[in-house]
């Protein structure tokens, strides 16, 4: 199982945003939608062994479960609609119990810390960092979890939590990448067994 | 200079498509928009040494020039608007002379064959192919040009043209990727000097 946690600092926590303005009115939800695309899509296929957690403003988390996913399309707008549908269930999301809003998409009332705790309990947490070890020198873990931030940097307390939880600190290359591009590169790194097996 | 040529088989050739329905009404223009994003964006930066050619239904080509680009945003909708603006100039695009519609974005009346000829004259053409050599075993060329297709496979005549023009035939990994993800992986391969230099 490959997991990706993405922090959406400006993301909406209510469903009253317009699908025609997801970059502005919905707090750069476009960034999170592209992350979902990068995590799941293969050409004419969906990666079933992937789980994605979008942490919305440290208040709610929308989780996409590859093995159960239906109705996911590659474009930003339709993914934003799935997130909006999940937020429609926010009154039902009590404690840490998930509410499924469509097949493979569920909402929980959790911020970053509890999500990271749950993920770290079952995965090898990989932190992407410009001072990290070159990823080519690190063997891919069996159950990796990559934690990424949206268009903002991690805040200090988030960075501390992540540093504590991380088993590896790696860099993907000499350039700083958008979160969705980093996910695509990480998937290719995992697909090729750390660039060893084609 | 890194170049990317992407064939949009169902792409519009007139500007009368709705920005709210670029997946349907605009012939999967979302695919091409994501390719532009993958080719140009770094975190808080744009790659200036990149040129992208979107070949629209083998009739027009919209070219994005990294060194001149302004007004490019990461989301699909705003990139679709730049393409629509370019198609607004289609009456002015005569012969192979480009018409600039916004800084760094221009339209030419060219299909795949003349675009490929022009690109091949100044670049090392790299074909992505599932039976190609593992990209990790190929040193990155100085001026590479990657040629990709949208959500459809190359048609037989396109595949023949490409096979004739290609200097290398490589595969990026064991999985078949969306075109935009392939561009992201290719950029990382080039950034890292073929996974040698971090």
């Amino acid at each position: 199982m490959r997991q990706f946690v993405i922090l959406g600092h400006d993301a909406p926590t209510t469903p009253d945003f317009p699908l025609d303005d997801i970059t502005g009115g919905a707090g750069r939800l476009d960034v999170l939608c592209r992350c979902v695309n990068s995590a799941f899509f293969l050409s004419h296929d969906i990666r079933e062994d992937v789980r994605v957690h979008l942490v919305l403003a440290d208040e709610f988390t929308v989780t996409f479960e590859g093995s159960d996913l239906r109705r996911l399309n590659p474009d930003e707008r339709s993914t934003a609609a799935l997130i909006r549908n999940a937020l429609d269930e926010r009154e039902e999301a009590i404690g840490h119990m998930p509410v499924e809003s469509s097949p493979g998409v569920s909402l929980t009332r959790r911020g970053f810390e509890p999500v990271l705790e749950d993920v770290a309990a079952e995965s090898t947490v990989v932190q992407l960092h410009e001072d990290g070890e070159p990823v080519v020198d690190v063997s891919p873990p069996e159950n990796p979890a990559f934690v990424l931030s949206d268009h903002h940097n991690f805040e200090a307390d988030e960075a501390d939590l992540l540093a504590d939880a991380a088993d590896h600190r790696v860099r993907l290359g000499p350039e700083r990448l958008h979160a969705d591009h980093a996910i695509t590169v990480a998937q290719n790194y995992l697909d090729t067994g750390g660039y060893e097996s084609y």
Side-chain angles (χ1 to χ4, degrees), chain A:
Chain A
M1 162 74 65
R2 304 174 183 180
Q3 296 196 61
F4 298 91
V5 179
I6 305 106
L7 303 191
H9 292 94
D10 301 335
T13 54
T14 57
D16 53 354
F17 57 83
L19 293 179
D20 295 340
D21 183 26
I22 56 172
T23 62
R28 294 305 307 278
L29 199 58
D30 62 310
V31 178
L32 302 184
C33 294
R34 285 194 297 278
C35 288
V36 173
N37 172 315
S38 293
F40 285 110
F41 280 101
L42 290 172
S43 185
H44 305 290
D45 207 358
I46 282 200
R47 295 178 186 270
E48 294 198 1
D49 64 333
V50 169
R51 187 181 296 150
V52 168
H53 308 275
L54 305 180
V55 182
L56 309 181
D58 207 28
E59 188 176 346
F60 289 102
T61 294
V62 179
T63 298
F64 293 74
E65 184 74 44
S67 55
D68 298 333
L69 262 182
R70 300 286 177 279
R71 298 186 218 157
L72 183 70
N73 289 302
D75 66 296
E76 294 163 8
R77 184 188 169 97
S78 64
T79 303
L82 291 178
I83 296 168
R84 195 167 71 168
N85 291 345
L87 283 171
D88 263 334
E89 307 294 329
R90 72 198 184 288
E91 302 297 335
E92 314 302 321
I94 297 165
H96 289 182
M97 288 297 291
V99 186
E100 190 169 69
S101 53
S102 60
V105 183
S106 60
L107 183 78
T108 48
R109 192 179 291 271
R110 289 185 300 171
F112 179 44
E113 189 164 0
V115 169
L116 183 62
E117 268 175 23
D118 291 351
V119 165
E122 54 185 11
S123 306
T124 302
V125 176
V126 182
Q127 180 180 12
L128 302 177
H129 196 288
E130 55 196 322
D131 297 328
E133 193 176 358
V135 74
V136 71
D137 295 335
V138 177
S139 291
E142 198 172 348
N143 293 298
F146 291 84
V147 182
L148 303 102
S149 185
D150 57 8
H151 57 299
H152 296 302
N153 288 333
F154 289 105
E155 293 175 12
D157 57 333
E158 295 166 346
D160 289 345
L161 284 172
L162 180 53
D164 284 348
D167 301 288
H168 295 290
R169 198 168 74 153
V170 304
R171 68 174 183 278
L172 299 174
E175 303 289 356
R176 295 193 63 193
L177 305 179
H178 279 203
D180 58 314
H181 298 166
I183 291 172
T184 300
V185 171
Q187 290 284 36
N188 180 250
Y189 156 75
L190 297 172
D191 289 344
T192 58
Y195 306 112
E196 295 286 330
S197 63
Y198 280 77

